[in-house]
Amino acid sequence: VQLQASGGGLVQAGGSLRLSCAVTGSIGSIQDMGWYRQAPGKQREYVGRITEFGDTFYADSVKGRFTISRHNAENTVSLQMNSLKPEDTAVYYCNSYARESSLGATYLWYWGQGTQVTVSS
């Protein structure tokens, strides 16, 4: 199972960006899909996640500004980021709790390579 994130870039404060993450490989099934971020000199932090049933959960710092959605048929998850702030600048990582078809019932966390988001003031 591999994850590929895309959509990062440079945006002015108050602007919007949409990140996407595609899950590929021998996928048996996917449960949670989510996003984390890591700013320079800081630890990786949780942004939010979406369950297989479509329930969403967000960190307080992004609640009301960010929206996570998923397209189950395409095994993709998106992060719509609105009203961006300079403190949102970070490398954004997608992750997925998935079962590879060759591993029976074992679910593992898989991570993408990250995409840079820079918000200028």
Side-chain angles (χ1 to χ4, degrees), residues 1-4 22-27 75:
V1 176
Q2 298 86 40
L3 280 71
Q4 179 72 43
V23 184
T24 60
S26 301
I27 302 166
N75 293 326

Side-chain angles (χ1 to χ4, degrees), residues 10-49:
L10 173 64
V11 63
Q12 287 189 332
S16 299
L17 273 178
R18 185 178 181 87
L19 306 183
S20 296
C21 178
V23 184
T24 60
S26 301
I27 302 166
S29 58
I30 301 173
Q31 293 186 359
D32 285 11
M33 304 177 82
W35 293 90
Y36 282 70
R37 65 186 182 185
Q38 187 167 18
K42 295 187 177 181
Q43 290 189 332
R44 190 173 297 189
E45 67 171 358
Y46 168 81
V47 173
R49 66 183 177 92

Side-chain angles (χ1 to χ4, degrees), residues 17-20 35 47 66-68 77-81 92:
L17 273 178
R18 185 178 181 87
L19 306 183
S20 296
W35 293 90
V47 173
F66 290 11
T67 302
I68 297 175
V77 60
S78 298
L79 177 65
Q80 177 66 43
M81 304 183 293
Y92 283 72

Side-chain angles (χ1 to χ4, degrees), residues 38-106:
Q38 187 167 18
K42 295 187 177 181
Q43 290 189 332
R44 190 173 297 189
E45 67 171 358
Y46 168 81
V47 173
R49 66 183 177 92
I50 183 167
T51 71
E52 60 187 308
F53 307 110
D55 298 316
T56 53
F57 304 88
Y58 300 96
D60 287 343
S61 58
V62 306
K63 200 173 295 183
R65 300 187 298 122
F66 290 11
T67 302
I68 297 175
S69 59
R70 65 190 284 172
H71 194 304
N72 289 331
E74 297 181 355
N75 293 326
T76 59
V77 60
S78 298
L79 177 65
Q80 177 66 43
M81 304 183 293
N82 299 326
S83 302
L84 282 161
K85 306 174 182 180
E87 50 264 44
D88 294 318
T89 294
V91 177
Y92 283 72
Y93 299 89
C94 57
N95 72 347
S96 174
Y97 193 57
R99 178 177 63 84
E100 189 170 349
S101 57
S102 64
L103 296 181
T106 301

